Amino acid sequence: GVAAVMGAVRRHAMHLPQAQALLSVASLEEMLQDLMPFLAHEMGTMRASVLRVLCCYDQPALLAAPSNDEAATPASGGSTGGAAGKASRVEVLELLRAIACDPCTLEAGRRWSVALIRQGNHVEYGRLPPFMVPVLAHGLIGVLRVRFSPLWPAAVQALAACLQFQTKVCWPIVRDVLTATQLEFISGGSRNQQQQQPPSRGGADSYKSRGAGRG
């Protein structure tokens, strides 16, 4: 759909000056203001669709590292694409798209785990552009919704780095998700208890009306 059209524009952007502006990093930043929350959506198809669209835009460059300390930390993992040119670009959205759209295999899981941990390193060393930090936080919550447990430790480690080094930005995001999950759990438990109780004087109709409230 939309991602396919934008992908076609992306391939011919060099011949279309107006398309270059449409798919610029500035346009990506503007689009993220509306689409960022969907990266943590419960539905995998929703996350995948949004990520396909966002990956059609130009991706921002990594910021210069404040010191050489980081060079030794992520080196063992290498780059997801294996090319030096891609290492200078933020890989957050491409990584999240791969996790959302590609088959979850053990080999892919190992590769993605290394890349997720690398994102935490980028947060720690201030290499992500500021507008990409909340994007990563939302995306990591989305990764934790994927039913592929080998990814979870790396996603938790990267999310911990976000909370430690970008607390003001990332904690409200995580807090809101935790609050919503807690409320859903409590309300779900309440509905289960109601269903286990015998029908009230209203009989079957009353029981159906309670059941209909589940949506």
Side-chain angles (χ1 to χ4, degrees):
V2 176
V5 173
M6 294 184 68
V9 174
R10 167 87 278 163
R11 289 191 294 273
H12 300 284
M14 62 180 67
H15 306 297
L16 302 170
Q18 292 180 344
Q20 294 176 15
L22 176 66
L23 301 176
S24 66
V25 174
S27 297
L28 171 65
E29 184 174 359
E30 184 177 352
M31 184 67 71
L32 282 168
Q33 298 303 314
D34 294 324
L35 296 184
M36 193 185 326
F38 291 102
L39 302 183
H41 200 276
E42 295 89 345
M43 293 179 57
T45 52
M46 176 66 75
R47 298 194 303 271
S49 298
V50 171
L51 285 163
R52 287 191 185 99
V53 171
L54 294 176
C55 285
C56 293
Y57 289 85
D58 291 336
Q59 301 301 303
L62 287 170
L63 304 179
S67 68
N68 294 327
D69 295 339
E70 186 189 11
T73 307
S76 59
S79 172
T80 10
K86 290 185 180 180
S88 64
R89 292 286 169 183
V90 174
E91 60 181 343
V92 169
L93 291 175
E94 285 289 352
L95 173 60
L96 295 174
R97 185 207 59 77
I99 293 173
C101 301
D102 295 350
C104 292
T105 64
L106 290 177
E107 180 182 354
R110 286 190 291 268
R111 186 171 66 252
W112 294 337
S113 292
V114 171
L116 286 170
I117 293 171
R118 183 163 58 247
Q119 305 318 304
N121 292 333
H122 289 334
V123 173
E124 177 179 357
Y125 290 95
R127 299 209 61 193
L128 286 185
F131 78 91
M132 289 300 297
V133 173
V135 174
L136 176 60
H138 279 96
L140 290 170
I141 293 170
V143 171
L144 291 172
R145 298 187 190 278
V146 177
R147 295 182 180 178
F148 187 59
S149 58
L151 286 179
W152 298 344
V156 169
Q157 182 174 335
L159 189 57
C162 292
L163 292 171
Q164 180 178 356
F165 299 103
Q166 292 287 343
T167 308
K168 290 183 179 180
V169 174
C170 297
W171 170 239
I173 297 169
V174 176
R175 180 195 60 206
D176 289 348
V177 171
L178 291 174
T179 301
T181 303
Q182 184 180 34
L183 291 175
E184 183 179 355
F185 178 79
I186 293 173
S187 63
S190 246
R191 286 194 296 265
N192 289 337
Q193 288 179 358
Q194 288 178 1
Q195 289 180 353
Q196 290 172 2
Q197 293 175 356
S200 62
R201 287 181 298 177
D205 291 339
S206 176
Y207 184 78
K208 286 181 181 178
S209 67
R210 290 198 302 270
R214 300 184 63 183

